Amino acid sequence: MVATKLGTICEIRRAQRADGPAAVLAIGTANPAFSILQDKFPDYYFRVTKKEHLTDLKDTFTKLCKKTGLERRFFHHTEQMLNANPSFFLDGTPSSSSLDARLDIVAKAAPELAASAAAKAIAMWGRPATDITDLIVATSSEARSPGADLALASLLGLNPTVRRTSLQLAGCSGGCAALRLAKDVAENNRGARVLVACVELTLTAFREPREDDTFETLIPQALFGDGAAAVVIGADTELPAGERAIFEMVAASQTTIPGTERMLNMRLGERGIGGDVSSALPSFAAEHLGRCLVDALAAPPLAGVGVGVEEVVHPGSHGILDHIDVALGLEAEKLAASRAVVREYGNMMSATVIFVLDELRRRMEEEEGDEAEWGLMVGFGPGFTVETMLLHTANNC
């Protein structure tokens, strides 16, 4: 009786699992309509916050903006919106109603931007939205429940039975973490089609400069931008007609460097979403990245896998990429996709790595027949946490 029952359970378990590896089937990205060139941003920033009299601090911020290597960023909050909400800036002591107002704006705008990216991914995928079985949403722009996940499911017309998961305040590693979770869901649920949506709006982190601000406290204002990205993921040995795998998701891991909580962290406080971003982060990330990658690929059966495709690295900043280049001895073109994304969009936290993945997809299609097979997706986040995923170019890409 026991053996029969156990055998039956094992058979059910095998029947539930997918036969093939998880794969990226489609990608979509979106940004708000408003954008501003980085060399114009210092004037804009000090004007909209009514802090133009802080000339020394503005000079410091201008140098910081140049150092980022960005060309432009996109924002949902426009000058008109900020002028219409003077309570957003009250000499560093915004009221709780100010934070509530920001969160209310984000609660409506974030799902709408995520839906724009998701609609593009679903269109590329080629099947109806109602075929989505699972929804994973990552964002560091809000902290409420129900949140962007439920609103997004409604906007897209997903089935009420869709299984929703939210990742909040995972920061820049949120995109990789969401993809890692989607891989597990797809491979352990036969026929599942997982929609991952990452959306970031910096309104809840946008704050006025203050006389006592340091270089480190100004970094987020010079670096982060708004964007959304979505991916459809499934796992089958043979995909149904019309579906096409782009990247196979071979293995994923996460490593947290002990004792580094203050190097990079996030929290929701009375001034909105904030945290610590150390100026030493670029060199620190590069210093530990090599060890993390070696550990991620050392265990059988991955040992000996050659990684030849461009690495899909969450860029963070040009400074981080420069240090990674030196630390790992990479060829110049290896991080080209990451550099292009951070230059054109800035750091969009969880969404950024999917933008890089999409940029790599476009480059591979343009250079048909000249692609390597293996690659690594890498993301950094609060903790200090390093997410890695081994990717393989699908044969039908």
Side-chain angles (χ1 to χ4, degrees):
M1 177 76 71
V2 174
T4 302
K5 182 178 180 181
L6 179 60
T8 302
I9 292 174
C10 290
E11 290 172 3
I12 293 173
R13 184 71 189 97
R14 282 192 292 270
Q16 288 174 331
R17 281 184 165 175
D19 294 326
V24 173
L25 306 179
I27 308 173
T29 63
N31 297 94
F34 171 62
S35 69
I36 185 168
L37 297 175
Q38 185 76 339
D39 61 1
K40 305 293 184 184
F41 188 75
D43 287 337
Y44 169 85
Y45 177 53
F46 278 77
R47 182 178 71 250
V48 298
T49 57
K50 310 298 190 290
K51 298 293 183 180
E52 292 177 288
H53 60 284
L54 300 179
T55 55
D56 290 343
L57 190 61
K58 183 179 176 181
D59 289 341
T60 298
F61 187 69
T62 300
K63 294 175 183 176
L64 177 59
C65 285
K66 289 181 180 179
K67 189 175 182 180
T68 63
L70 276 59
E71 290 186 0
R72 67 170 176 168
R73 285 180 287 163
F74 291 80
F75 297 103
H76 175 73
H77 52 275
T78 62
E79 185 168 0
Q80 181 180 10
M81 178 192 294
L82 297 174
N83 288 338
N85 292 274
S87 64
F88 287 179
F89 308 109
L90 294 174
D91 295 324
T93 56
S95 63
S96 58
S97 62
S98 167
L99 179 56
D100 286 344
R102 295 179 190 229
L103 290 171
D104 287 343
I105 292 172
V106 169
K108 182 177 185 298
E112 291 176 348
L113 187 62
S116 180
K120 294 177 183 177
I122 291 171
M124 178 187 290
W125 176 42
R127 289 172 57 177
T130 49
D131 285 354
I132 296 293
T133 61
D134 297 82
L135 174 63
I136 300 172
V137 175
T139 182
S140 294
S141 303
E142 66 169 2
R144 64 173 69 199
S145 182
D149 58 324
L150 183 58
L152 177 58
S154 177
L155 288 171
L156 294 175
L158 304 186
N159 283 320
T161 56
V162 69
R163 296 171 291 219
R164 295 179 288 111
T165 303
S166 291
L167 300 178
Q168 295 184 341
L169 294 181
C172 295
S173 61
C176 290
L179 292 172
R180 169 171 51 81
L181 178 59
K183 167 180 159 52
D184 288 345
V185 171
E187 291 179 346
N188 283 283
N189 295 273
R190 183 183 295 270
R193 288 299 179 268
V194 188
L195 175 64
V196 171
C198 300
V199 57
E200 304 293 357
L201 300 180
T202 54
L203 178 59
T204 45
F206 189 76
R207 60 192 64 183
E208 74 281 18
R210 299 189 298 182
E211 290 188 73
D212 60 348
D213 274 344
T214 64
F215 202 73
E216 292 176 330
T217 60
L218 291 172
I219 289 175
Q221 305 305 324
L223 186 60
F224 292 105
D226 296 357
V231 173
V232 177
I233 292 170
D236 291 285
T237 303
E238 294 185 10
L239 294 172
E243 286 191 332
R244 183 176 72 99
I246 304 172
F247 301 105
E248 294 169 331
M249 308 164 78
V250 181
S253 63
Q254 181 193 87
T255 302
T256 302
I257 310 302
T260 60
E261 293 85 354
R262 295 192 62 81
M263 181 67 63
L264 179 64
N265 55 65
M266 298 186 69
R267 55 188 174 272
L268 177 62
E270 62 182 10
R271 296 186 70 201
I273 302 293
D276 300 310
V277 181
S278 172
S279 59
L281 185 61
S283 58
F284 179 86
E287 176 186 348
H288 289 275
L289 178 60
R291 182 71 262 163
C292 291
L293 298 187
V294 169
D295 291 345
L297 295 174
L302 301 181
V305 169
V307 180
V309 78
E310 292 181 70
E311 277 69 18
V312 185
V313 174
H314 168 81
S317 70
H318 274 288
I320 288 180
L321 295 177
D322 289 342
H323 281 83
I324 291 174
D325 266 341
V326 174
L328 301 184
L330 297 178
E331 298 174 6
E333 70 276 7
K334 288 294 184 181
L335 300 181
S338 295
R339 290 187 182 278
V341 167
V342 75
R343 182 174 60 249
E344 288 294 322
Y345 302 97
N347 185 336
M348 299 168 287
M349 288 189 283
S350 65
T352 314
V353 75
I354 299 178
F355 271 74
V356 177
L357 200 64
D358 195 37
E359 176 68 17
L360 181 58
R361 174 192 63 82
R362 285 195 296 268
R363 290 173 181 237
M364 290 170 58
E365 289 179 351
E366 290 172 1
E367 301 168 6
E368 202 171 344
D370 189 32
E371 61 212 33
E373 291 186 345
W374 296 94
L376 274 176
M377 180 172 66
V378 184
F380 314 104
F384 178 77
T385 303
V386 179
E387 293 270 356
T388 60
M389 182 176 291
L390 183 64
L391 301 172
H392 184 267
T393 305
N395 292 330
N396 58 9
C397 180

